Amino acid sequence: MKKIINLLTVLVMVSLMASCKKNEASLYSCDPVVHQFVAGTSWEGINREELSNYQIDTLIAIFRSGSSENKASIWREKMDLLLATESFSDDEAAFIQSIRDAITPELYVNTPDNQAIPDSLENSVKQRAVVYSWSEEDVLYYFALPHSRTQLIDYIQKSNKEGGGTSAGVNDCSCNFSMNRCRMLDYRICANYGCNVLPSGCGFLFRGSCDGNCF
């Protein structure tokens, strides 16, 4: 009986990984455990603080499962947090506010015509980062992670204590080359060794595809 259960588990995992290549948009994670956890619950309405309490791969999957309205709301909340807690100059604060104003549900509707908007916003962020002397870690914290600074410190300390790394399967992409969190959270690099690219949940405002793993 145990052998049968193990065989069924393997078959489910193989089937899910195969589906990951065929129908990426319908999956929350290529990791069957994470996918089933997220798929078994309605996460609509989850806020930024609640989302940030989950491990990063689960966090990404939960975010991916949400509506465009919920996704935009989470990142508007992050911009509100920055404006309330960071020591920005007037010009920096105005720029963060402009990003907040641009975060609409339409930003999370994946169409070819819509891609130019987030690309333009991300390029603007990278240009302003030079003007404002923001470090790479600042940019990642501001625009690639939903956490507060306290949550981020807690996450890093917990990951270090548990040995770091990610919970997803070895073939499930979990970072983004354009703006990735590997260096900040895992002190590693973002690399693609044949992982299954998923269409959203990473990079700038979690708008970019997951195109690599932290190594």
Side-chain angles (χ1 to χ4, degrees), residues 2-208:
K2 186 176 180 180
K3 290 182 178 179
I4 294 175
I5 293 175
N6 290 339
L7 178 60
L8 288 174
T9 301
V10 170
L11 289 174
V12 169
M13 293 181 68
V14 170
S15 175
L16 188 55
M17 295 304 291
S19 297
C20 196
K21 296 179 180 180
K22 295 177 181 178
N23 193 17
E24 295 169 339
S26 67
L27 289 176
Y28 307 136
S29 174
C30 294
D31 183 324
V33 176
V34 174
H35 173 78
Q36 290 173 13
F37 172 74
V38 173
T41 303
S42 173
W43 301 95
E44 191 62 21
I46 191 170
N47 63 33
R48 180 208 60 77
E49 183 175 7
E50 294 166 340
L51 181 68
S52 300
N53 288 324
Y54 290 91
Q55 290 293 310
I56 192 70
D57 295 296
T58 303
L59 181 157
I60 289 172
I62 293 172
F63 183 85
R64 191 180 287 127
S65 75
S67 66
S68 298
E69 289 78 9
N70 202 174
K71 292 174 181 177
S73 176
I74 287 168
W75 280 102
R76 286 196 298 268
E77 288 176 23
K78 177 60 186 274
M79 298 303 105
D80 289 339
L81 175 72
L82 295 179
L83 290 169
T85 59
E86 296 295 305
S87 299
F88 290 130
S89 67
D90 290 345
D91 193 52
E92 287 173 309
F95 178 66
I96 295 294
Q97 183 64 51
S98 72
I99 296 296
R100 188 199 186 283
D101 293 342
I103 301 174
T104 64
E106 288 71 29
L107 196 68
Y108 291 95
V109 177
N110 291 312
T111 64
D113 292 339
N114 206 31
Q115 186 59 45
I117 299 173
D119 285 350
S120 176
L121 289 175
E122 184 174 354
N123 288 335
S124 181
V125 163
K126 291 177 178 179
Q127 292 169 4
R128 291 297 186 101
V130 175
V131 174
Y132 299 142
S133 298
W134 288 343
S135 67
E136 181 183 357
E137 286 76 12
D138 287 333
V139 174
L140 292 174
Y141 168 63
Y142 296 161
F143 304 108
L145 291 165
H147 306 71
S148 67
R149 286 200 183 274
T150 299
Q151 288 175 315
L152 191 57
I153 291 169
D154 289 345
Y155 182 96
I156 292 172
Q157 289 177 340
K158 184 177 180 181
S159 295
N160 289 341
K161 186 178 296 183
E162 295 176 354
T166 62
S167 61
V170 294
N171 292 321
D172 187 7
C173 285
S174 58
C175 67
N176 179 276
F177 280 95
S178 178
M179 191 179 288
N180 76 78
R181 51 88 191 173
C182 297
R183 177 178 171 183
M184 175 173 276
L185 293 185
D186 300 308
Y187 305 99
R188 295 182 287 173
I189 62 171
C190 185
N192 187 338
Y193 294 127
C195 69
N196 296 302
V197 176
L198 291 176
S200 67
C202 290
F204 177 65
L205 304 179
F206 278 8
R207 178 60 175 73

